[in-house]
Amino acid sequence: MPGYDHTVFATVNILGYKACEIGYAKCEDWIEEVIKLVDTNQKVVKKFFKDNFSKIKAPLIEGTYLQWVDFNALKMTNKLLEKFMHMEAEFFLDEGYIFGTEGSGYERINLAAPTHVIEKALERLEKVLKKVYK
């Protein structure tokens, strides 16, 4: 659609709104559990890159469940990085470039997933990164 900026357009349906309202009003234990999960997962991701691919940066996050990872050290174009993630690593992330030029070379990981899912994805990524990381 010409002129459509997908980074600004958003809608919330009534069911999603009500679920959010209930979550914040009546599900404090669940929210605390999610916060702990996201915290654990961000540390897993950061440690993975620090220990194995130190030129790829995964800074700790503040106030969100989405972690930006800087893959610029791989010196890949945005499209090549996207293809590498999808076709080689079978790792499906939000490509940073869709958020503007500042996101070029970055990928965004959703940390609100079971830790074993994050770890499996990182294992797949590790196998293929070893082939291109210098």
Side-chain angles (χ1 to χ4, degrees):
M1 170 174 5
Y4 172 71
D5 183 353
H6 65 280
T7 62
V8 177
F9 183 78
T11 62
V12 177
N13 66 34
I14 191 67
L15 184 59
Y17 176 82
K18 194 64 178 171
C20 185
E21 180 183 5
I22 291 168
Y24 280 103
K26 299 180 180 179
C27 299
E28 187 173 330
D29 291 343
W30 175 81
I31 291 172
E32 290 301 319
E33 187 177 327
V34 170
I35 291 169
K36 287 178 187 172
L37 173 72
V38 169
D39 185 56
T40 296
N41 288 346
Q42 74 165 327
K43 290 174 182 168
V44 165
V45 171
K46 181 175 179 62
K47 183 175 178 1
F48 168 80
F49 287 108
K50 183 180 178 200
D51 292 352
N52 300 294
F53 307 100
S54 62
K55 293 178 187 173
I56 299 172
K57 303 299 180 196
L60 295 178
I61 59 177
E62 296 178 14
T64 183
Y65 58 94
L66 301 166
Q67 186 170 20
W68 289 90
V69 179
D70 182 353
F71 285 93
N72 281 297
L74 298 180
K75 302 195 183 318
M76 292 183 182
T77 65
N78 289 322
K79 289 298 184 179
L80 186 59
L81 179 59
E82 181 177 9
K83 183 178 178 183
F84 176 79
M85 290 295 179
H86 293 182
M87 305 303 288
E88 301 293 325
E90 297 178 2
F91 201 6
F92 298 88
L93 308 165
D94 290 327
E95 280 67 45
Y97 72 87
I98 69 172
F99 300 98
T101 55
E102 297 87 356
S104 185
Y106 286 78
E107 297 283 341
R108 192 174 76 165
I109 300 174
N110 183 334
L111 300 172
T115 302
H116 74 274
V117 171
I118 301 288
E119 290 170 337
K120 285 287 186 193
L122 292 174
E123 287 172 14
R124 290 191 308 273
L125 182 59
E126 181 178 19
K127 288 178 186 173
V128 297
L129 272 178
K130 286 181 178 179
K131 298 175 187 176
V132 298
Y133 184 82
K134 295 176 176 61

